[in-house]
Amino acid sequence: MLIAILTTAVMGMTLSFQTATGMVTLEPDSTVLAVEAPNPATIQDIASHLKASEVQWLFNDFYLLNATPATLKQIEQAKQLHTNIKELAVYTREGQRSHLIADGKILLRFDAGLSKADHEQILTMAGVADFKLRLDDGRTYVAEVLPENTVEAAQRLAGLRGVDYAHPDFIYQKSRTLEPDDPLTEDQWHLNLVGARAAWDLETGSADVIIAIIDSGVDLSHPEFEGRLVHPRDSLEFDEDPTPDTYDGHGTSCAGLAAAAINNATGVVGICPGCSVMPIRIMSENGYGRYGADVDAFEWAADHGASILSNSWGTAEPSSIPSAMQAAIQSVADESREGAGALILFASGNEYRENFDYELASHPSVLGVGATDSRDLKEYYSNWGNQLDITAPAGSVTTDIQSGGGYSSGDYTFQFGGTSAATPVAAGIAGLIFSIDSSFTRAQVASILMATADKIGNQPYEDEFNPYYGFGRVNSFRAVQMATGGEVCAPLPEDCENGLDDDCDGLSDDADPNCAPAITAIGAPCTQDYECGQTGTCLLIDYGYPNGYCSIGCEDECPGDGTCERLWGNNYACFDGCETRDDCRSGYDCLETASGNLACSPSCTVLGCGEGETCNYTTGNCSHDGPSTPGGACIQNNECSDNGTCLTEGDYGFLGGFCAVTCRDEKPCETGYDCVDFGRYDFCVPTCEYSSDCRDGYVCRADVEDPTFGRCFESCVTAGCEDDFCNEYGLCGSVLPPRLGDRPEPVEPAPPACTCDTTTKCNNNCPCDPECAPDYDAGGCQANPAGLWWLLGVLGIFRRRR
């Protein structure tokens, strides 16, 4: 009776699940289909009609597919043939797009003081029959129900007296706080900013101090971690092999910034090169994991002696902390290390927004870490807020998966950054502090990190705090000094001529980036911004400038003979003026700019062009005019006409690639194309009336203001819809093409009117003349045997028409 009452009560309630800050509303998501299938061949059968982009492997045996009618039909057939395939339930949070996938597992904990019999009675009352203890505390369980009943069962349990928390062990995708496109240099510039070299004179780290890298796994055979990897864990597979997927170097790069080896005559060095690393895998290459893996990782780290838990990840969208994770964080912070607690760091995120107080990086027992750049300023993307604790440099060069895996072809990468990189830098400094005194509590180490942080950014700090920098950018030298109990360097502006380290970064005079020249030498080679003066910028080879190119922002005038030119968008920069090529350094030519001036610019006249490209000796730019028109399919740039750029399917998600030709007021599109705003740029898109006017996989979407014409966009069958369903026309919701159906076939024109000469004989071109037709059967009409009408007569066509 009680179970029936509970079931009825839940059926009338809005679907929701319990988090640390209350219940969160859920909505079923019918646009995708989640499946657990131990045999990959089964998925291939189910998804045989789908494109590769519509099938996503999550981890282990879990897959996510586009929920087309054909997919739904296939899954029903597959379930009849394969008893081991399981369809899961998919939800979204109210107002969000990221998926929460329920496979039947529920994480729960009972209040202290209840007996095992009480636990079993409560679970039975809630209709849960399959459950087992998850921890040896006697009150933390994992239960299992049918996937479609997961949310309702957890919601039912959460409402019962005696239950501390109960929520689904959702499968979800993490947001890995990586900024791979951040312009990086060939040197580890972050080491200088945090005073690492001066800190190493006092401490390089102890192997007894363990930094847990909770991420996507670590390359266990990388020489930078030889002899210092301890207690590895894969919290997804529940084994001790956290080897990452082939191309996922995220965890390996984080580990290198924290603790890569020192003095091994190769590669890079971490902030705490003597510390041990505990690699724990909680997510796959695409960021998917589950709540239970996060909890298991924290419990494993605490149980195996980690002093620091470095987390360069978060949720894809602002989300409350699951109750089980809340309990794990609190336990690690307050109870691990025999009550001294372990330090937990979380990346603040790269979404260029203010963090909410209920997010992981804002938790009061966590240090939230923001990112700074090589100028010692906040990275533009780094999240901020009143719960931000510290900032750290977004480290550049670091370890990568060996033998071509990860981010680059080598064993190291130059393409790492973001708050993902900042977090292990801060974790490494914490490792140095713990190495000085292993009895330090979590709170003591956190206090040292914040108290010795540099107040950077030319920002006001109120009570030592600024919402964009927290308590400042971490300083390893000052932190180690405070941890040893010695005198702590008091930072002052660097005097570049006194031979002293005034600003406490371990560097003095010319060796200190803060002693960059006051004036920028326009056009000089460079690898770092500070080499270009205190306000200069190093334009890097990644942006087409061989060996770097010193520049400075401008509006009208530039130093010396420099000329102010448009760089991109509304950004203008100074370029080195010239008269001939001899005035420019190697790799550059003296070319006319868009404004009509002469400047030393990167030029194909010196560097040459790639396959399929030709050098424009006037502009110095390589150009191509491939066969694919704007909006057409492509794999590489030189396939696009009008010097277009190929937005490939792999990198940008356009089905079959998309030849992007930019347009603007002064450069309109050709006839048959329309200029469409794609955010940062405007591109020419083919116009249309019918979907048959568009290439395969693309449909004609009517213009909002003038529905008589449209533009070709990728069908929502492959592109998906943000907040709506994909209709029969391949468009989202109620959107229609300008004209429905296929273009009608052209109608053959009627034959011209004929005339008959009835005075002598019937005209061969006019057999149906009313004056001749009566004589036709009688043979009075002398038709031409070679004529069409004679043939039709022989076939009896005219007889049948009479």
Side-chain angles (χ1 to χ4, degrees):
M1 183 64 162
L2 178 58
I3 294 175
I5 292 172
L6 288 169
T7 303
T8 303
V10 171
M11 288 177 62
M13 295 169 58
T14 301
L15 288 177
S16 60
F17 77 104
Q18 184 183 26
T19 72
T21 54
M23 302 298 286
V24 172
T25 303
L26 295 174
E27 298 173 351
D29 188 344
S30 59
T31 64
V32 293
L33 182 69
V35 178
E36 182 180 7
N39 186 357
T42 305
I43 292 296
Q44 293 178 11
D45 293 338
I46 295 172
S48 59
H49 66 288
L50 297 175
K51 295 180 173 61
S53 59
E54 299 174 309
V55 182
Q56 202 174 4
W57 173 71
L58 308 183
F59 64 91
N60 296 357
D61 301 327
F62 299 107
Y63 299 83
L64 195 65
L65 301 80
N66 279 21
T68 65
T71 310
L72 296 172
K73 182 178 178 181
Q74 292 276 49
I75 190 65
E76 289 303 320
Q77 294 175 351
K79 286 194 293 186
Q80 295 176 11
L81 295 174
H82 307 281
T83 57
N84 59 351
I85 190 169
K86 184 190 297 185
E87 185 177 352
L88 312 182
V90 185
Y91 302 90
T92 59
R93 301 174 188 84
E94 189 174 26
Q96 297 191 359
R97 293 182 295 167
S98 51
H99 301 117
L100 294 174
I101 303 169
D103 67 341
K105 288 184 171 59
I106 298 172
L107 304 174
L108 70 149
R109 184 170 71 182
F110 291 100
D111 292 339
L114 297 179
S115 66
K116 184 177 181 181
D118 294 331
H119 300 165
E120 293 177 354
Q121 182 181 8
I122 292 173
L123 287 164
T124 302
M125 287 170 57
V128 179
D130 188 0
F131 53 88
K132 62 181 179 181
L133 279 170
R134 192 177 65 79
L135 297 179
D136 57 9
D137 62 357
R139 65 189 185 108
T140 304
Y141 288 78
V142 58
E144 189 159 2
V145 297
L146 293 174
E148 61 268 26
N149 296 337
T150 311
V151 173
E152 290 89 339
Q155 191 171 351
R156 187 183 300 125
L157 280 165
L160 294 179
R161 180 177 299 174
V163 177
D164 182 13
Y165 66 76
H167 62 74
D169 183 8
F170 281 128
I171 296 169
Y172 74 108
Q173 187 175 27
K174 298 171 175 63
S175 171
R176 301 175 302 166
T177 48
L178 169 65
E179 197 71 19
D181 294 330
D182 203 46
L184 304 172
T185 69
E186 295 183 356
D187 300 314
Q188 291 180 282
W189 50 265
H190 64 281
L191 299 177
N192 291 341
L193 288 178
V194 299
R197 290 173 176 81
W200 293 333
D201 288 339
L202 302 174
E203 180 62 59
T204 57
S206 167
D208 293 333
V209 175
I210 301 172
I211 302 175
I213 302 295
I214 301 176
D215 209 279
S216 60
V218 172
D219 183 349
L220 302 182
S221 63
H222 203 295
E224 294 287 3
F225 312 119
E226 184 177 358
R228 293 182 296 113
L229 293 176
V230 297
H231 308 298
R233 174 70 167 173
D234 188 329
S235 292
L236 288 176
E237 301 279 2
F238 293 104
D239 60 31
E240 297 181 11
D241 182 14
T243 300
D245 296 321
T246 305
Y247 297 105
D248 188 20
H250 197 265
T252 302
S253 294
C254 289
L257 288 167
I262 195 170
N263 292 331
N264 61 346
T266 185
V268 297
V269 59
I271 297 293
C272 190
C275 287
S276 294
V277 173
M278 181 187 294
I280 305 179
R281 179 175 177 263
I282 60 166
M283 56 186 173
S284 59
E285 180 178 349
N286 52 22
Y288 273 98
R290 67 187 310 150
Y291 286 161
D294 307 342
V295 174
D296 179 81
F298 270 56
E299 292 169 349
W300 178 272
D303 291 344
H304 292 82
S307 299
I308 304 148
L309 282 67
S310 181
N311 298 272
S312 293
W313 56 273
T315 54
E317 297 172 278
S319 303
S320 298
I321 302 171
S323 297
M325 188 63 174
Q326 159 75 12
I329 290 173
Q330 218 56 62
S331 176
V332 169
D334 299 339
E335 302 171 14
S336 65
R337 297 180 60 243
E338 299 180 350
L343 185 71
I344 304 170
L345 301 102
F346 264 98
S348 68
N350 300 333
E351 293 78 36
Y352 187 62
R353 64 172 174 83
E354 184 174 3
N355 279 339
F356 295 94
D357 59 5
Y358 54 77
E359 296 184 74
L360 285 165
S362 302
H363 193 286
S365 297
V366 162
L367 284 187
V369 185
T372 56
D373 63 14
S374 61
R375 291 178 179 279
D376 224 9
L377 298 173
K378 173 188 173 296
E379 288 280 19
Y380 72 93
Y381 53 76
S382 182
N383 292 358
W384 68 90
N386 290 326
Q387 283 73 40
L388 181 69
D389 295 293
I390 50 177
T391 49
S396 51
V397 183
T398 181
T399 46
D400 198 7
I401 297 175
Q402 301 174 93
S403 304
Y407 301 116
S408 65
S409 58
D411 300 346
Y412 301 88
T413 179
F414 294 78
Q415 298 176 327
F416 202 68
T419 53
S420 274
T423 302
V425 169
I429 298 176
L432 295 177
I433 298 170
F434 274 118
S435 297
I436 291 169
D437 189 343
S438 61
S439 68
F440 277 141
T441 65
R442 167 187 67 86
Q444 286 176 311
V445 174
S447 177
I448 291 173
L449 283 172
M450 292 185 287
T452 58
D454 293 341
K455 303 297 186 282
I456 64 169
N458 298 319
Q459 293 266 341
Y461 284 74
E462 186 174 341
D463 294 330
E464 303 294 310
F465 177 82
N466 177 277
Y468 294 101
Y469 293 92
F471 286 91
R473 189 257 302 129
V474 289
N475 185 312
S476 61
F477 180 36
R478 298 181 69 219
V480 168
Q481 284 181 319
M482 179 174 284
T484 59
E487 182 179 354
V488 179
C489 176
L492 297 170
E494 182 72 19
D495 182 338
C496 302
E497 298 179 355
N498 64 357
L500 301 176
D501 173 23
D502 304 291
D503 57 359
C504 306
D505 60 3
L507 305 171
S508 61
D509 296 356
D510 292 345
D512 194 325
N514 291 317
C515 286
I519 299 176
T520 299
I522 305 299
C526 57
T527 59
Q528 303 183 51
D529 285 339
Y530 75 82
E531 295 173 339
C532 297
Q534 294 177 359
T535 58
T537 297
C538 182
L539 303 178
L540 298 171
I541 188 172
D542 291 349
Y543 294 90
Y545 296 90
N547 299 313
Y549 188 98
C550 280
S551 184
I552 188 173
C554 59
E555 293 183 1
D556 297 308
E557 298 182 355
C558 292
D561 63 351
T563 175
C564 187
E565 304 295 336
R566 180 175 177 174
L567 191 60
W568 59 73
N570 293 320
N571 297 303
Y572 287 79
C574 291
F575 286 82
D576 188 19
C578 58
E579 294 182 0
T580 68
R581 182 187 295 181
D582 293 338
D583 296 331
C584 304
R585 64 186 178 89
S586 176
Y588 293 79
D589 196 357
C590 187
L591 301 171
E592 185 174 340
T593 67
S595 61
N597 299 315
L598 292 176
C600 294
S601 307
S603 173
C604 59
T605 60
V606 178
L607 302 173
C609 294
E611 183 179 354
E613 295 181 321
T614 58
C615 181
N616 185 320
Y617 282 81
T618 301
T619 65
N621 296 321
C622 295
S623 61
H624 50 266
D625 193 20
S628 193
T629 55
C634 59
I635 298 176
Q636 53 192 3
N637 290 343
N638 60 19
E639 295 177 335
C640 297
S641 64
D642 197 20
N643 212 34
T645 300
C646 181
L647 306 180
T648 62
E649 181 172 351
D651 291 336
Y652 296 92
F654 288 97
L655 179 67
F658 182 95
C659 277
V661 175
T662 58
C663 51
R664 48 188 180 272
D665 291 342
E666 61 269 29
K667 184 192 173 187
C669 299
E670 296 180 359
T671 303
Y673 300 90
D674 195 37
C675 195
V676 176
D677 183 1
F678 276 74
R680 185 175 179 183
Y681 298 102
D682 295 346
F683 295 132
C684 294
V685 172
T687 56
C688 53
E689 291 184 0
Y690 299 86
S691 289
S692 56
D693 295 334
C694 303
R695 53 183 271 220
D696 288 346
Y698 287 70
V699 293
C700 190
R701 187 169 73 194
D703 182 71
V704 175
E705 297 180 359
D706 182 6
T708 62
F709 89 101
R711 306 170 186 86
C712 293
F713 290 96
E714 185 179 349
S715 168
C716 59
V717 173
T718 54
C721 296
E722 289 189 5
D723 303 311
D724 221 327
F725 64 94
C726 186
N727 66 33
E728 60 186 300
Y729 302 104
L731 296 165
C732 294
S734 58
V735 179
L736 298 175
R739 300 179 187 272
L740 304 181
D742 294 326
R743 185 183 295 279
E745 294 293 331
V747 178
E748 291 290 339
C754 59
T755 58
C756 289
D757 178 7
T758 59
T759 58
T760 57
K761 61 181 180 179
C762 294
N763 188 310
N764 290 330
N765 292 326
C766 192
C768 296
D769 186 278
E771 296 184 34
C772 295
D775 297 329
Y776 186 82
D777 288 336
C781 187
Q782 299 177 16
N784 183 350
L788 172 63
W789 303 116
W790 175 85
L791 178 59
L792 296 175
V794 170
L795 294 174
I797 299 299
F798 300 134
R799 290 190 181 88
R800 289 195 293 272
R801 289 183 177 176
R802 289 176 60 182

